[in-house]
Amino acid sequence: MDGRILIIGAGQAGMQIAVTLRDEGFAGEVTIVGDEAYGPYQRPPLSKAYLAGNSDVESLELRAEHFYTDQAIEMVTGETIVDVRLGEPGSSDAGIATAASGRTFEFDRLAITPGSTPRRLPIEGADLGGVLYLRSLADADALKKRWTAAENLVVIGGGFIGLEVAAAARTAGKTVTVIEVADRLMARAVSSTTSEFYHGAHERRGTRVVLEAQLARIVGDAGQVTGVELAGAGAAKGEFIPADIVMVGIGVIARGELADKLGLDNINGAIVVNEYAETSDPRIVAAGDAVLLPHPLGHDGQVRLESVQNAVDQAKVAAKTLIGIREVHRAVPWFWSDQGDLKLQIAGLSTGFDQIVERGSQESEKFSVLYYRDGRLLAIDAVNDPIDYIAVRRALDTGAEIPAELAADSSVALKTLITSREA
Ligand SMILES: Cc1cc2nc3c(=O)[nH]c(=O)nc-3n(C[C@H](O)[C@H](O)[C@H](O)COP(=O)(O)OP(=O)(O)OC[C@H]3O[C@@H](n4cnc5c(N)ncnc54)[C@H](O)[C@@H]3O)c2cc1C
């Protein structure tokens, strides 16, 4: 099969679509267009090793530069696609994508992988110098630029990225305060058991955590941030917290500009796809953070997943769809978050759990939480416990079970408890 495939978005998913197309023997033209100054790179280290100064730009690259020439993949950076016209349905007319610069790209088939963008803080002072977000390498470099001289860091948002940055800042000896509007940390992703452990663990390492906190405004002087002022209820009401850097990590929203332009079904910008990664226009596939997909383990409903695993697995499906291979992949979601010396590994989706089983010991900072619904294994949060994590991931991968009543005994290895669903 030949023809021209255009991929809009040079990130984790876009890159994987191109790689899979070639792996599957697609011999036509493959072009990836991205709006950043760099070719595709890994984002996870931006809030971890890269921020801590333990990795450099080269180590972030998803592929060495020669890969693109070797694989005849055209990689275009620094171009934002602002308009896309499709050919007439059923005709052989080419589609055409136009960049903000006026440059155009013709294609026969289209993939869009625009990723997501940080949710902005709608508050007085949010545009001051030193109020920063973290999505791109450019954002990470802006953060690093202020990092060494900064003494006080305020993190708005107690989710994964905020807590990873907080941990890196504490390790670097800074005074760190995490401000969270909810009543617990990482509330969207983990149970209160895991949240409470992380709350205590961050405080033991010297980070102050303020829950149920409302921000009144961000305060500055001469255009630069000097701190934040709290409002609302609670002991910290009205308090001023000094800050040289205010790092905002309050979640991301799908980049929906192109979905809107193309009239694709979307919910708040998140492009609705089926299990083949097809959008509401069967000529277009989409993958990654910007996508709302059917539950990957076949449960009811749709989910939007913000993870490398999802971007990669979904991209593989999307690439195959583009070249006529109808293949659904049953992908167990997994995710990790390194917060200083605490490694959190999550497999499965815990939404809707009605029972949890805890193993190991929170005191030794090595434990895991298994989630069940109607006695069926759903997911695990493993803290510094890769062995339990791997066992649960394997069980979920193979559609097997780990009986809840047996799992509570930490002296028994989980892998010995894996049983098939029928057993
Ligand atoms: C700081 C940080 C830490 C993370 N840590 C983890 C982690 O520990 N584990 C984990 O699993 N995941 C982590 N993630 C999430 C993970 O990086 C994302 O889920 C993944 O990158 C999603 O891939 P994607 O291809 O959908 O989007 P992206 O990788 O964001 O790629 C999308 C690209 O498309 C570009 N683009 C958008 N619109 C256009 C347009 N119109 N024209 C041209 N280009 C466009 C964007 O600029 C971007 O370069 C982290 C993310 C961040 C930011």
Side-chain angles (χ1 to χ4, degrees), residues 74-90:
E74 189 189 1
M75 172 63 61
V76 180
T77 54
E79 294 280 6
T80 309
I81 299 297
V82 290
D83 195 23
V84 183
R85 297 274 147 83
L86 296 167
E88 283 303 308

Side-chain angles (χ1 to χ4, degrees), residues 9 11-13 35-36 43 48 81 114 135 288-289 307-308 336:
Q12 192 82 50
D35 58 1
E36 294 187 60
R43 287 175 208 279
K48 308 176 181 76
I81 299 297
R135 178 71 198 174
D289 276 16
S307 73
V308 168
W336 75 98

Side-chain angles (χ1 to χ4, degrees), residues 270-344:
I271 307 162
V272 178
V273 298
N274 65 14
E275 63 272 48
Y276 299 105
E278 286 168 322
T279 65
S280 54
D281 186 323
R283 294 169 292 178
I284 307 173
V285 295
D289 276 16
V291 156
L292 199 58
L293 70 154
H295 192 293
L297 297 179
H299 301 197
D300 289 342
Q302 297 161 311
V303 287
R304 194 169 76 75
L305 299 170
E306 297 157 18
S307 73
V308 168
Q309 168 275 324
N310 172 63
V312 168
D313 281 331
Q314 237 209 328
K316 289 179 183 169
V317 173
K320 288 180 185 169
T321 296
L322 281 171
I323 52 175
I325 305 171
R326 304 293 280 179
E327 198 176 286
V328 181
H329 177 62
R330 183 182 180 280
V332 172
W334 54 266
F335 188 86
W336 75 98
S337 172
D338 296 337
Q339 298 173 25
D341 55 343
L342 298 171
K343 184 172 213 43
L344 173 63

Side-chain angles (χ1 to χ4, degrees), residues 239-261:
E239 184 184 341
F240 173 79
I241 306 171
D244 312 301
I245 296 175
V246 171
M247 161 55 215
V248 184
I250 55 171
V252 295
I253 50 172
R255 282 189 63 170
E257 308 96 292
L258 291 175
D260 279 343
K261 267 250 133 76

Side-chain angles (χ1 to χ4, degrees), residues 176-190:
V176 184
T177 309
V178 174
I179 310 282
E180 167 58 55
V181 70
D183 61 358
R184 61 188 183 87
L185 298 175
M186 300 181 284
R188 272 196 310 135
V190 299

